[in-house]
Amino acid sequence: MNDLLPRVSAPAGAESWLHVERWRHLEQTFFSHASRYGFSEVRPPLCEYTDLFSRGVGDTTDIVEKEMYTFEDRGGRHLSLRPEGTASAVRAALEHNALAREPVVRWAYAGPMFRAERPAKGRYRQFHQVGAELYGDASPAADAEMIALAAGFLSALGVNAFRVRVNSLGTRASRKVYRDALIAHFTPQLDALSPESQSRLQRNPLRILDSKDPRDIAAKAGAPSLTDSLSAEDQAHFAAVCAMLDALGVPYTVDPSLVRGLDYYTRTVFEIVDVSGALGAQDALGGGGRYDDLFADLGAAQPVPAVGFAMGIERLLLAAPEASVPRATRVAVVAAARADEQAVLGAALALARDLRGAGVETHVDTRFGSMKSQMRRANDLKVDYVFVLGGNEVAAGTVSLKTMADDVAPEAKQVTLTRAEAIARVLPASR
Ligand code: HAM
């Protein structure tokens, strides 16, 4: 078994999140929702120099330390499959000088990401994200719009049982002060911390705060609060973000323990968690925040403020209601003819082509078995209408249109119409 990839097929009805129509619907909903906020799609590559992620995401993060799929190519270059999209998108923006063309750039993306995590429900080694990134705007309004975009997208998908957690990590300068305060707090209790947190203490003490190990939880009691070390400007920025979320009617909770697992964040961070229970332990549907230093870290001559988020597609599909994919009209063309009646079979194919040309999903069982077997196939495909063509219909230029829905009066169940009338009858607008 290839344990990098999620299983690609499933028995009908099982694990419905594997159904591609739901994926496509989700991505279309995301891009159409994001385009209303002015975001356009970008497609960064799946593979980048490893160095991009160690500098961008942070070389003391779990993602870079333990989870990247890293390899050397034939030219001896160190490459990694992307574990996330933010660093790649910034690299692309820098390389293509995107900010020379637009003062504010709004990019959206969807695609696979790779992290060597222990697979579990909602946690895979190849998983997929939809994400959005906004460059060139330092204002709290940009943060609030990103959170509103993420929350609005969830509602558009029919996912309503979620909670938005927000926090501010401050700028790097205020975080440095906080880091030192945390190290001073935890150092006397070093031996009581989990081994993981002991190794993190000097390198990344903030991560101890979101540890769920009981030893770390005990040691956290009385730890200094990040909120207290924020500068006045950081506090004003965060207060403005919260006020705008209030104005937008986005419900949220301020959670001072939210630190996130990537190093590039500054000021606002947020996470959206599922509260329906559909996801079990992996309840984070998405997360993001501001990252005003990342452009400079990756070589930009000028600092570029930035903010963004990403959401896990597999998790969204576990949380989204089954019926959230609108179903288009589906029809079948059935030839009431024997296999040697070429004129009828040809007319059936031509009718199906015309229906498809009009935008209708049309099935023809080109094995052209008996009328009964073609009807059985149409039934299995759950079509809404069947167009029946026999020798008489072909000669008269008509078709017998059968409506499959149960709630139709018997006399309307099967009617003879001209082909054009019958096609018009099944077009979505006339239903
Ligand atoms: P992240 O929190 O690492 O952030 O990932 C975002 C979302 O991707 C998670 O909330 C989760 O839904 C999904 N996800 C992460 N890992 C897995 C996995 N192994 N299996 C299934 N789903 C997973 C980022 O990736 C940042 N780049 C977000 C961002 C964009 N920040 C600013 N801009």
Side-chain angles (χ1 to χ4, degrees):
M1 178 179 150
N2 177 347
D3 62 0
L4 168 62
L5 295 165
R7 276 177 294 152
V8 290
S9 62
E15 297 197 53
S16 58
W17 56 269
L18 283 171
H19 296 173
V20 172
E21 293 80 25
R22 298 190 72 217
W23 283 65
R24 204 186 303 155
H25 171 66
L26 183 147
E27 290 185 9
Q28 280 167 356
T29 306
F30 178 71
F31 286 118
S32 105
H33 192 71
S35 71
R36 294 182 210 168
Y37 284 75
F39 287 78
S40 48
E41 186 183 352
V42 288
R43 297 189 176 183
L46 302 194
C47 201
E48 299 272 1
Y49 286 115
T50 300
D51 177 59
L52 171 71
F53 301 113
S54 20
R55 285 197 292 149
V57 175
D59 51 16
T60 61
T61 57
D62 284 352
I63 293 179
V64 170
E65 270 190 343
K66 304 181 199 159
E67 295 169 1
M68 281 208 299
Y69 285 95
T70 296
F71 57 95
E72 213 172 282
D73 75 358
R74 285 169 193 266
R77 288 170 285 255
H78 294 276
L79 303 176
S80 290
L81 297 180
R82 63 181 185 192
E84 59 107 51
T86 308
S88 297
V90 169
R91 201 258 320 130
L94 277 169
E95 214 162 288
H96 301 286
N97 216 357
L99 283 139
R101 272 169 276 148
E102 291 283 335
V104 176
V105 169
R106 292 169 182 242
W107 279 354
Y109 53 88
M113 308 288 162
F114 304 84
R115 296 183 193 175
E117 296 189 81
R118 199 165 44 78
K121 181 179 178 186
R123 188 172 62 209
Y124 313 101
R125 292 175 179 163
Q126 174 175 337
F127 62 100
H128 299 74
Q129 287 183 342
V130 288
E133 314 286 350
L134 187 159
Y135 309 139
D137 184 350
S139 73
D143 308 20
E145 273 221 320
M146 291 310 267
I147 298 171
L149 161 58
F153 162 58
L154 287 178
S155 305
L157 269 189
V159 175
N160 294 308
F162 63 84
R163 196 156 57 86
V164 181
R165 301 159 66 208
V166 295
N167 191 23
S168 175
L169 301 179
T171 54
R172 251 183 213 169
S174 43
R175 213 156 58 243
K176 165 92 181 61
V177 175
Y178 182 59
R179 235 183 88 94
D180 294 345
L182 270 187
I183 294 175
H185 170 83
F186 285 119
T187 302
Q189 340 176 43
L190 184 65
D191 295 341
L193 294 175
S194 67
E196 179 108 76
S197 291
Q198 292 187 15
S199 78
R200 276 180 174 151
L201 181 61
Q202 294 300 330
R203 292 180 301 129
N204 200 346
L206 262 75
R207 291 303 310 281
I208 303 177
L209 296 179
D210 66 3
S211 160
K212 293 186 178 81
D213 188 296
R215 290 166 287 189
D216 301 330
I217 291 174
K220 271 190 269 180
S225 142
L226 173 57
T227 317
D228 295 339
S229 66
L230 295 182
S231 68
E233 292 81 8
D234 291 340
Q235 286 180 19
H237 184 98
F238 190 51
V241 173
C242 294
M244 286 170 191
L245 290 176
D246 291 336
L248 286 164
V250 177
Y252 61 93
T253 45
V254 175
D255 183 345
S257 72
L258 177 65
V259 294
R260 308 256 315 125
L262 304 98
D263 274 357
Y264 47 60
Y265 292 112
T266 49
R267 295 199 158 160
T268 316
V269 285
F270 66 97
E271 211 154 78
I272 303 187
V273 291
D274 168 78
V275 293
S276 72
L279 286 173
Q282 315 304 324
D283 62 353
L285 293 170
R290 181 162 278 291
Y291 47 97
D292 291 344
D293 296 323
L294 185 56
F295 270 85
D297 290 347
L298 296 179
Q302 304 288 328
V304 177
V307 57
F309 70 85
M311 306 184 106
I313 294 183
E314 289 85 353
R315 294 188 192 177
L316 292 171
L317 290 175
L318 285 167
E322 190 56 46
S324 63
V325 183
R327 155 106 142 68
T329 302
R330 186 181 293 168
V331 311
V333 175
V334 162
R338 285 188 303 277
D340 58 353
E341 291 178 52
Q342 294 303 328
V344 177
L345 305 188
L349 293 178
L351 174 59
R353 177 206 56 204
D354 293 346
L355 278 157
R356 291 165 182 150
V360 182
E361 178 185 327
T362 307
H363 295 264
V364 191
D365 185 349
T366 46
R367 294 170 298 178
F368 288 124
S370 67
M371 165 104 176
K372 196 168 156 205
S373 75
Q374 292 178 62
M375 282 305 290
R376 197 180 315 119
R377 181 79 190 122
N379 246 320
D380 290 347
L381 290 167
K382 299 194 172 51
V383 301
D384 304 297
Y385 300 94
V386 177
F387 288 65
V388 185
L389 266 185
N392 293 342
E393 284 84 2
V394 172
T398 59
V399 61
S400 176
L401 180 68
K402 194 169 156 56
T403 304
M404 304 299 273
D406 293 331
D407 57 351
V408 178
E411 63 280 10
K413 271 246 158 191
Q414 190 148 2
V415 287
T416 299
L417 301 168
T418 66
R419 284 183 210 169
E421 282 168 350
I423 293 174
R425 183 73 68 92
V426 304
L427 290 179
S430 61
R431 287 195 74 191

